[in-house]
Each structure stands twice: as C-alpha cells, then as structure tokens.
Amino acid sequence: MNVPDEPVLGTDTSSSQEPIGEEQDVAGNISRLLGSQPFGVLCTQGWGQPYGAVVAFAYDSGLSALAFCTPTATRKFRLLEESSRVALVIDSRSLHPDDMMKVEAVTVTGNALRLAESEARREWAQRIVQRHGYLRQFLQAPSTALFRIDAFRYFYVSRFQEVTQWVPPRSG
Amino acid sequence: MGTAPEWLIDLSVTPPPAARLVGGKAANLSRLGRAGFNVAPGFCFTVEAYERFVREAKLDELLRMELQRKPLEAMRWEELWDTALRIRSAFVGCSFPITLSETVEHALNRYAAPAGWAVRSSAPGEDSHAASFAGLHESVLPVHGTAAVLNGIRTVWASLWSDAALLYRRELGLDPGESRMAVLLQPVIDGRPSGVAFGCDPRTGDAGRIIVEAVPGRCADLVDGAVDPDHWTLDKRTGATLSQRSGNRNSEGAAGALLLSPAQLDAIRSALSEVEARFGWIPDVEWTWHQDALLLLQARPVTMPPSDPADQRPWYRSLKPSPARLKRLARRVTEQLIPELAAECDRLAAESLDRYPNTELAHAIRARRAAVDRWKDVYRQDFIPFAHGVRQFGVYYNDLVRPDDPFAFVILLGGENFLARQRDDALCGLARRVAERGALADALDQLLRDPGSIDRESFTQRIGRLPGGPAFLDAFDELCREHFDIAHEGVRLAERPEAILHTILERARMPRARSLATEVADRERYFLDAAGPARREEARALLDLARLSWRLRDDDNILIGRLESQWIRAVEAGAERLRRKERLTGTFAFSAELADRVADALQDPSLAVNVPPTVAPPADPGHRATTARQLVGQPAAPGLAAAAARRIRDSADLLQFQAGEVLVCDAVQPTMTHLVPLAAAIVERRGGMLIHGAIIARELGIPCVNGVDRAMQQIRDGDWVTVDGYLGIVTLGHAEFDLEVGRPARRQDG
C-alpha cells in the first residue's frame, strides 16, 4: 500500500526519503513479448511509399538482431532492395482484444540485410525453423530470401501510452 | 434463470432473492421481512440492470482505462479520489436505456412515497458475514420523481468505484469485468427517532453488551455525523442500562431528555437478539420508530475496526465531513486555529535569540520543534479534513452543471487574499519596478552572476551602492521579511536572497500574466444560474466554503513553513555559537536530528557536534541503454508546451530555474508556488487534480501533468520535454531518427 500522507509538508521531521523507483527491466519485457508472438508487421518504404506486411520472425538472445524470410517476387522484397531501413512492430493485441491498457507493443528499427548462402544464413534459418517449423521447405526454396534485421533500438509501449526506448548492445 | 433478465425484484417476493442478484443489503432485508420483522418495503434494481447500463454506455471500457492508467497500488489516495470522481461523472452523464428507465418508472408507481425515495447501494458480497464494508458506497435520499430516482441510481452505481471502495479494492475483489452493483429503492420512512444498534460493542467486540444510538430525525443524520446522538450501553442478557448519555444538540430536545424510553430500548434489544438467533450473525442495524413500532431499515453483520494501526485507510475514509461538520470545522480553523498559528509564528519571529544563554537557546530549539510537531498534528486532525470542502463542492458542482471536464470547478477556487497570492503580488510589483529601470535590472543581473555576492551582508551592501539600489533594497527586505521567512526543504528562503532576486529578475522579463477574472465570473454566474432560485443560496454557501477551504489549505502550509523557519533560525543560532567555540565541525545542513544534537550540545558543554559530509548522489552515468520516451500521468491542467526541463530538488535549485523552462519536481509546495508563473509547463511526481501545482497551473493556463511516478529519476536537467496537459503525457526528446541515419547520438535536449 503506497498511500502517503496527503499534502506535502515542507521539512520532514521523519527524514524519510521517497524510494527511488526500480529501473524497469525493459529488455526482459521486450524479450518476453517477442517470445510470445510468432508474427510481426514488417514496415518497409520505397518510392515515397510506406508498406506493411505480416512476417514470421526469429531473434537472437541478446536482441541485437531479428530475421524473417520472404519470396523474392513480393512487394516487400522490392522495397527492401530499394531501402534497407525497416521497422518491425510486434504486439500482444490478440491476447487482449477488449483491453487496450493490457496490450504491449514493440517497434524495433533496424537495417535489413539479405543473407546469402553462408554460415550466418544457416544459423538464422535454423532459428526461424525452430520457431516456425512449417517454414522449413519454404526456406530452402531458391526464390526465398532471408533477411537479418540489425536492430538500432526498440520502443517498448505499455499501458496504452508509456513508451521506453532500449538500445541493444552492439554485437561485434 | 437463463431466460429474460431480472431487472427488478420486489423485496416481498417468495422465496427471497439471491444476494448475487440483489446484493447483500437487499437480500438481508428481504429475508428479515420474510422472517416477520417489520422492515421498510421496496424493491431492488438488480445487478443485471447494472450490467446492461454499463455495457450499453460502454462504461466498462472507461473503467478499464481509469483503473489501469497506473497500478492502483502506486496511486495516492488523492489520485484514487480523482479517479472515482471521473468515473462518477461518466456514470452520471450517461443516459439510461429506455427499457430500464421504463421499468423503474413503472415500479415507482406501485408504492406511495410522500417523503420521496431512498436509493441505496446493495453490492453482492458487501454485507456478507465475511466482509462487511459499511459506508463505502453511496446512498441518495430523499429524491422525488422518476428523473431524480434515475439520477440517484446512476450515482449509487458509480459508487461501486468510489474512492473508499478503491481503497479496499483487494478485499472487495473489485474488477471492472466482474464487479456489479444492485440498487435498493424504498419509500423514505419519515420515522423518529431513528438510529443504529449493535448486537455487541463494536469497539471491543464484547458480545455481552448492546450499543444503541439515537437521533431525533433521520438515521442519515447520525451516519453523516451531522447530529450528536444519544448513546446507551445495555446488558445483552438482562437489558439493564450500563451507561447512557444524551447527545450534545442545541436545537432539538432539551439536554438530558433522552430520545428512547426503556420499552423502546427493550424492543431494539429483542430485535437484535432475534436477528442473531435466526441468522447466526451478530447484527448491526439501522432502525427508525414509525407508527409506534420499531422498523428495521437495514441489517448486516457487525464488523470490527481494523486491528492494524499502520493501516491508514480508515483515516482516509474519515475525510468526508458532513456539511454541518465542515461548517463547524470552518469556524474552528478560521476563527481559532489559523489566528493562533499566525500569532505563534509572529511571536517566535520577534524573539531575540541573541540574548538567550545557551541553556535557554537549547530550550527554545526544543520548544520550536514541539510547536512544529504540534501544528502538524493539527494539520492532520483539522486542516486536512477541512480541505475536503473543495471536494464536496466539486461533487455538488458536477451534479448541478454536468460539465464535460469533471475538474472544471477548480477555476472558481482562486482568490485575492491568499498568503501565496499576496506574496506573488509583492514579488510581481518589485519585478515591474525593476523592469521599468533597465539599468537597475542589468546591475542586479550582473550582481547575481558574481559568486562573491552570496553572503547576505555583502549582497546588501552591493545592492545599496547601485543606482536606485537603496529604494529597491528597502522593498526587497520587506518582501523577504514579510513573505519569504519560510522554510523550504530545511532552508530558510529569507536567507537565500539571491534565489529571491533571481526569481524577481526572471519575472521582470516576463509578459504580464493573463487575467482569469472574466472567465471566473462567467463560470460562477453559470453555476449559480444552474442552481436556480431555490438552491441559489445553498450553492453560494458551498462555493464560499470551498474557496475558504482552498485558501486555508494554501495558507496553513505557508504558516507551517514560517513556523519551521523559526525553528531553523534557532538551530542556526545555536550552531553558530558552537562553531565559534569550535564545538561544531562540518557543514551545517538542517535536519531534525541535527537540531536535537545542537540543543543537547548547548546544554552540555562536554558535547561536540560533528556534521558528517553529505553523500553526493551518484553521478549521472550519461549514456543509458534504457531511456523513457513517454511518461504517463494525470492530465492536471490542459495545454501543450515544449521546453527544456529543470528539476527542483532543494532550495539551491530555486536559483537555477529560468523563465520558460519546464518545472519538474516531486510536488509544487506552497513555499515555491512563486516559481510557477515562470514555468512553460509543470511535471510532478505527486498526483492529484486538487493539489497546489495542478490548481495554480489551471489558474495560470500552464499545462501540468502530475502523478508521473519516476519523473525525478527519468527526466534530467536540460532534457527537451513536451508536456501534454490534455492527455497527461510527457514526451522526452524529439521524434528523431539519429541512430537510424547514423548521426551521432545526442542528449534529449533541444
């Protein structure tokens, strides 16, 4: 119960101090949300036109990068060729359709890099398959491109309007 | 069940309705009637009607938003009160589904109600044996006519989310998705006398005793505390009177003439025993004497007072003085307490401490501390309850005017005769004089930039040498003496003349503040017109009381600040003596503990005082991986402003505050309200729509967001801050993409 005395009265003879609020474990909250949501909305841009598409994603434990895959004949692939700067929006609205206050959301900004055949591609394909087993064949198709998003920062939104920014440590 | 919704159930129905449908109060009454007790007739508007109303008006969404805006555990009581008022306004402002209003209208025609209707809460679980929370919810009576009854129903429904209920939300299991409220509708019984009775002594739990209280009129007068009741303690088994006293009432009944005869007392005792025997719980009943017979208005299991002395909630619940008690408090506060406090401040300020030998100075220090403690007790016992005149008015205003903004009434509270206003006027007058003399302003500005001017004496001498300086100095000294001999965070502001001068110079640079006079007059006229001729006098009296209540709430804080200043003055004088004798080392920084040590050392020459150096707060680490971008609080005063932030932590920060900055603080205290007109916006950790910062910000048209929990930790001096006083959102920094486009990271400043 934190209901202190009503008005503040100048000098405090009890010399009590307001406890300093604990730093929120924002990275933990982001990680939990990403773990609970298989899909996000990938936001791309090109020719002066923004575009959004739902993608299945995976992420690394340090949250420094995320990955998704897409057929190369798609609009989002064309736009990614045009501009690698992307955002990915992940949220829990499906869990709380009637209570906005409980919905959490993360917007991560980053740079999307297409991974060609390499150790890195194999590693990220494995991560995607671990979360999305149905994509195994899809990932093996020559017409599928796998992109890694190197995250610049995360905007974590809770309680409708509380926004906290978290910058992941640079890897490498 | 499972077919048509049951909106209305007569209390006389057989079998008695289930408590989950009609609530504990109605279920108990129905069972009492069925068991042959004489109870008031009536019917119950069930929880299903509540559900329908809330669903159609989409109030469930509003409840979720209001109750989850911030963790309820982190809300101060004042914020709970604000939340409850917003919910109440939303409920009262929603129209009734036509099917429900027709049902009520039809039912009202079934009973004659010449004295009007009583609309009472009846929440499921409320009056059960396990959890009885009397008085958390509202009852409205007497009301006449369908429209007024419907209004009463909405008000009672809203009280499911009253401030008191929110305090006990855990015990009540309050949940916007689950909680419901039924409403009991009964013709008002104009019986007399009326009262309460307990089947044991509720203070001690002694089950061998019965307690009876009676007032000449309606029971509501007793419950409100408006009328002092006659009181009896009876032996439960024999009925013998163990003690009795007549209430202290001036008007009705001569002193000593008790309201109940022995036969009436015995009838009440019998009823209590029968209820206990039949239902298995010790009852707490409200009764009235009607048509020569005892009539039970309601019955519930007795609850014992909470045993945890650390539980502050009963005290908060007590902060609802009835109009009569508020008037008595107003008299006591204005005619006795405030003059006494002011006189004590003046007397202490006039004391010449230099003449006292050490022992007497030690005595003066202790006496001043005792005075501060004593007045803080008075503050809690009398000043804070009196401050609720403002709240009472707010509810009255909203019921009458139905404004979109439930805090629109706040603008009516200000006045000319506040101590803070007088201080502000004096400060502004001096600022204007400085503004008119550019050369003096420049010279004073230069003087402030010179660190050598901090010492009071040299400060005075140097101002005195400036052109126009002596006249300014006279006015400045008077300002300090009359208005700034107050303590702020343990520092006497009069001893920090450079901080006061700094504020004067900042004010001199500012345009004149806007005047609200026309807006206030218009709103006041609108309010009194809404009251109509019949209630105009009542409305005017409540407004006057609210203004008085608000003024004294401000003044009492300033006066206690003045009292503390005199305490600090005595401690400083003692510390200086000890320092001269080399019995005090270290840098003096006032605290209650240091004050006691100084007093001890003055009395005992063998003692010395060593003040340890203060521990500096940890340095700001600079770059942080986690930074707040948007903080959410209460929209306490409308408006939108963006500027650099400045935190006020102690009196030294008062000197730093520049016109046009965003003032960020734990709470705007009455001792620092003179800074508010300089601010572009205000952000406070402490939440509340009726706290000083919020009300002054509204008066001045400055956006204010309060109740921002970690404001002081997450906002740094110089951060660029956008304060949205419409939505209660504080945004830190600009909406930039520096990191994304490879620009070097910058601080969140402009």
Side-chain angles (χ1 to χ4, degrees), chain B residues 141-157:
Chain B
L141 75 161
V143 287
H144 299 267
T146 309
V149 169
L150 293 177
N151 252 341
I153 292 172
R154 280 184 287 236
T155 304
V156 170
W157 275 341

Side-chain angles (χ1 to χ4, degrees), chain B residues 131-148:
Chain B
S132 175
F133 291 96
L136 295 187
H137 305 125
E138 272 192 64
S139 289
V140 184
L141 75 161
V143 287
H144 299 267
T146 309

Side-chain angles (χ1 to χ4, degrees), chain A residues 1-14 18-24 26-27 85 98-102 109-110 152-153 155 158-168 170, chain B residues 64-65 68-71 73 75-78 167 313 315-316 369 373 376 379 384 388 391 490 553 557 564 567 590 592 625-630 632 667 669 686 710 713 729 736-737 739-740:
Chain A
M1 194 69 194
N2 175 27
V3 187
D5 198 356
E6 227 203 358
V8 175
L9 272 171
T11 308
D12 185 359
T13 48
S14 69
E18 176 79 6
I20 291 171
E22 280 177 29
E23 188 79 358
Q24 273 184 316
V26 177
R85 302 215 177 275
D98 56 354
D99 195 348
M100 184 64 195
M101 296 299 282
K102 287 189 176 147
T109 61
F152 292 126
R153 56 180 155 175
F155 297 96
S158 60
R159 286 183 187 283
F160 182 44
Q161 284 292 346
E162 254 173 36
V163 186
T164 312
Q165 170 188 298
W166 181 71
V167 179
R170 295 276 123 223
Chain B
R64 284 200 184 93
M65 287 290 275
Q68 295 175 67
R69 188 176 52 77
K70 189 172 172 179
E73 291 69 25
M75 278 199 192
R76 304 171 56 254
W77 175 77
E78 287 190 277
L167 277 176
R313 296 178 299 178
W315 182 72
Y316 284 110
R369 176 177 187 163
D373 288 346
K376 283 187 175 177
Y379 188 88
I384 290 179
H388 285 259
R391 297 199 163 90
R553 181 176 187 184
N557 275 271
E564 286 170 343
W567 176 24
F590 178 82
T626 304
T627 46
R629 302 299 298 197
Q630 265 187 201
V632 178
Q669 298 181 31
R686 187 172 169 222
R710 290 172 298 147
Q713 285 85 42
I729 296 174
E736 42 69 33
F737 287 103
L739 212 53
E740 287 75 6

Side-chain angles (χ1 to χ4, degrees), chain B residues 239-284:
Chain B
T241 301
L242 302 174
S243 72
Q244 62 181 39
R245 73 169 173 79
S246 56
N248 183 14
R249 297 181 296 274
N250 296 327
S251 52
E252 300 194 49
L258 290 163
L259 293 164
L260 291 173
S261 67
Q264 286 173 311
L265 282 170
D266 210 49
I268 293 171
R269 184 178 69 90
S270 297
L272 288 170
S273 300
E274 275 182 57
V275 171
E276 184 174 344
R278 194 175 279 266
F279 296 107
W281 35 262
I282 300 175
D284 155 3

Side-chain angles (χ1 to χ4, degrees), chain B residues 481-497:
Chain B
R481 198 173 52 248
E482 293 295 319
H483 297 291
F484 282 97
D485 190 2
I486 49 179
H488 177 83
E489 301 292 343
V491 171
R492 300 180 69 208
L493 293 184
E495 294 298 312
R496 300 296 306 271

Side-chain angles (χ1 to χ4, degrees), chain A residues 21-42:
Chain A
E22 280 177 29
E23 188 79 358
Q24 273 184 316
D25 182 13
V26 177
N29 287 341
I30 293 170
S31 182
R32 182 178 40 74
L33 181 62
L34 264 52
S36 73
Q37 297 295 323
F39 308 111
V41 175
L42 176 75

